[in-house]
Amino acid sequence: MIASGAGEDARLHLKTPASVDIFTRILTHGPLGRIDVGRQTGFSQAAVTKTVAPLVAQGIIAVDQQAPAGPSAGRPVHPLHVVPSARVVLGLKVNADEVIGVATGMTATILHSVHRPLRSTSPAEVTEAVAVVAEQLADRLGPAVERLIGVGVSVSGDVDSSAGVVRDSPLLGWRDVDLAHPLTARLGVPVQVENDVRALTVAEHWFGVGRDSASFAVVTIGSGIGCGLYLNGDVVSGAYGVAGELGHLPLASPDALCVCGRYGCVEAVASSAAVLRAVRDSTGDRALGLADAAALARAGVPGAVAAFDRAGSAIGAALAAVANLTGPDTVLVAGEGMQDFELYQPSLRRAFEAHAFGAAAGCRLITRAHTFEDWARGAAAAVIRAAVRQDFSPA
Ligand SMILES: [Zn+2]
């Protein structure tokens, strides 16, 4: 158990769809005056006041007493913002070799982080490691743990977050693993299990590049090639929870075998394991690590340069496919592979420009440095969203 009383008393009690919309706007765009909140959400100032009053009383929303200078000077505006420390959440990311956890406040700013290596990816080992990391983070939080809303866990692969079950994760070698129920029983707080890229997309939607975008995509490069889509006002899950599986679009050469068992997938040439394999094959050095492969490419060794080029081309073609299919105004490229991005970049941009069609080519391609903590922060953002929308699952 993390803390008696955590979870239950930390719920946000947003009772109506209007109050969810109003709170979300203040959380993601505050500080905002009441008039602006009303204008931006389409609700009356009376509705804003009714939603905000109990939250101010509970210390979740604060009213800035200083009238700002500028165009509104002379009329006190009393902007509203969500108090970051009013609630805390934990977010954890399961990798093949370690669990990374962070504690954040309501605006997903990281307060603490913990790493724990995994001896194996067996469900029992991973469940235990996730629980231990969550308990260590709870210890670090001290008395603030009483304001803990819940724990998010993100995993790569096909995740049924409504059931709390990982349906299929090639990275972990899992099929139909129930992560939410054993963790909820052990920790005593709500646990939200999410696909890692979808969780990252939620974080970007509320606290990052997507704050002011109606349609954007997050493409991640690294151990896998992932894609999260936010289109026309919502994060896309698809009918089966599998959407944006960019890594398995058949855009690579048809003889490249993918970890999923199919041929020609983007990941078959563009995952970090595929790049490393290609560099090892070209040099004959089986002991090379990814950092060595990147160093060889930086030094201009042809086989290594070609491996990163091939990966960049496949990723660029995949980015163009996303732009052509969904028309986002922005595509953010992130993921742990960003540390070597300059090696992928020339061929990636070339392939994107060659294949992006018409107006889709106008979409902004932006990049972001990325750490493993960012994945965990995504899991925390998924919890914040579940708490605001009150759709923790499984309930
Ligand atoms: Zn595949």
Side-chain angles (χ1 to χ4, degrees):
M1 288 285 159
I2 282 185
S4 61
E8 278 295 304
D9 300 339
R11 280 179 302 181
L12 291 171
H13 300 293
L14 300 169
K15 292 197 173 66
T16 62
S19 63
V20 169
D21 285 359
I22 288 166
F23 181 81
T24 302
R25 195 70 193 177
I26 298 169
L27 174 65
T28 57
H29 288 74
L32 278 178
R34 275 163 220 261
I35 294 171
D36 293 322
V37 176
R39 198 180 291 134
Q40 292 173 16
T41 56
F43 294 107
S44 67
Q45 270 199 73
V48 175
T49 299
K50 192 174 168 208
T51 292
V52 165
L55 296 165
V56 171
Q58 293 164 52
I60 296 171
I61 285 180
V63 184
D64 192 341
Q65 294 302 334
Q66 276 185 325
S72 334
R75 196 177 48 153
V77 177
H78 300 314
L80 306 165
H81 69 270
V82 172
V83 177
S85 61
R87 294 289 185 272
V88 291
V89 304
L90 304 183
L92 293 90
K93 158 79 164 135
V94 180
N95 285 330
D97 56 357
E98 69 175 342
V99 171
I100 298 157
V102 299
T104 82
M106 278 302 284
T107 50
T109 300
I110 296 174
L111 306 170
H112 305 284
S113 74
V114 168
H115 291 227
R116 184 178 178 86
L118 285 170
R119 283 172 309 219
S120 78
T121 57
S122 76
E125 161 86 9
V126 171
T127 304
E128 172 68 19
V130 166
V132 169
V133 169
E135 285 160 357
Q136 288 174 342
L137 287 165
D139 277 350
R140 298 258 193 105
L141 283 169
V145 78
E146 294 296 332
R147 303 194 296 276
L148 180 68
I149 296 175
V151 176
V153 183
S154 78
V155 175
S156 85
D158 174 2
V159 176
D160 180 348
S161 59
S162 64
V165 171
V166 179
R167 294 272 174 236
D168 183 12
S169 175
L171 182 78
L172 301 177
W174 286 8
R175 276 196 182 260
D176 295 321
V177 173
D178 181 351
L179 211 48
H181 290 93
L183 282 169
T184 303
R186 161 120 178 221
L187 298 172
V189 290
V191 173
Q192 181 81 7
V193 182
E194 243 323 340
N195 166 271
D196 54 357
V197 182
R198 212 154 53 212
L200 196 65
T201 308
V202 170
E204 287 298 331
H205 169 214
W206 275 15
F207 307 112
V209 67
R211 279 175 75 239
D212 297 301
S213 167
S215 296
F216 70 93
V218 179
V219 172
T220 60
I221 64 175
S223 59
I225 308 299
C227 175
L229 294 170
Y230 178 88
L231 299 176
N232 300 331
D234 211 352
V235 176
V236 175
S237 292
Y240 304 102
V242 181
E245 278 300 333
L246 202 62
H248 302 283
L249 288 182
L251 297 173
S253 110
D255 57 353
L257 175 62
C258 181
V259 286
C260 74
R262 297 168 187 83
Y263 285 88
C265 295
V266 171
E267 270 187 25
V269 298
S271 72
S272 43
V275 171
L276 178 57
R277 194 170 52 242
V279 177
R280 283 177 175 173
D281 287 349
S282 74
T283 59
D285 183 351
R286 312 312 302 173
L288 282 180
L290 189 62
D292 308 316
L296 290 177
R298 284 191 184 96
V301 173
V305 171
F308 282 94
D309 262 358
R310 192 161 48 238
S313 292
I315 296 166
L319 291 177
V322 170
N324 292 352
L325 273 173
T326 66
D329 58 44
T330 305
V331 175
L332 170 70
V333 186
E336 69 275 8
M338 289 308 295
Q339 62 193 5
D340 299 319
F341 186 67
E342 89 277 13
L343 298 173
Y344 301 98
Q345 174 152 246
S347 61
L348 184 156
R349 289 197 183 266
R350 251 192 330 270
F352 177 76
E353 279 155 24
H355 295 288
F357 180 82
C363 112
R364 285 192 307 155
L365 203 59
I366 61 174
T367 58
R368 163 94 45 90
H370 189 99
T371 70
F372 277 111
E373 270 84 12
D374 290 326
W375 287 116
R377 179 174 174 267
V383 172
I384 295 167
R385 190 173 77 146
V388 170
R389 296 187 172 189
Q390 295 166 91
D391 57 0
F392 263 115
S393 44

